[in-house]
């Protein structure tokens, strides 16, 4: 993670990423959402390196409706 982002998390957001990440303060997790079929295979996924952006509930519901 770039230093400017680490400083933003530390100063502006008051987050101790080193403590949160068990000693690795240079890592910011990437949230992801997966929908699996009955066979265990991924049928839909959403991944975005911007940790502030998440999948929309309507997209997840649509993916669940499309399961056969």
């Amino acid at each position: 993670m770039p230093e400017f982002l680490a400083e933003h998390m530390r100063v502006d957001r008051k987050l101790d990423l080193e403590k949160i990440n068990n000693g690795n303060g240079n890592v910011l997790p990437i949230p992801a959402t997966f929908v699996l079929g009955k066979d265990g295979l991924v049928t839909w996924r959403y991944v975005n390196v911007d940790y502030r952006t998440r999948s929309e509930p309507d997209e997840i519901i649509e993916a669940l409706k499309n399961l056969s």
Side-chain angles (χ1 to χ4, degrees):
M1 167 173 34
E3 181 53 37
F4 77 90
L5 185 53
E7 182 176 348
H8 165 71
M9 299 303 280
R10 193 172 46 251
V11 175
D12 300 328
R13 296 198 174 242
K14 310 283 190 260
L15 294 173
D16 183 351
L17 292 180
E18 190 156 332
K19 182 178 180 183
I20 292 170
N21 291 333
N22 287 326
N24 192 347
N26 294 324
V27 174
L28 194 59
I30 298 174
T33 305
F34 299 94
V35 173
L36 306 179
K38 290 180 182 180
D39 57 4
L41 297 176
V42 175
T43 62
W44 183 87
R45 48 85 182 105
Y46 182 87
V47 180
N48 192 318
V49 296
D50 183 347
Y51 69 94
R52 300 167 297 179
T53 304
R54 308 296 171 103
S55 56
E56 293 296 327
D58 290 342
E59 295 172 333
I60 300 167
I61 291 168
E62 188 63 31
L64 292 169
K65 287 180 180 178
N66 290 331
L67 289 175
S68 53

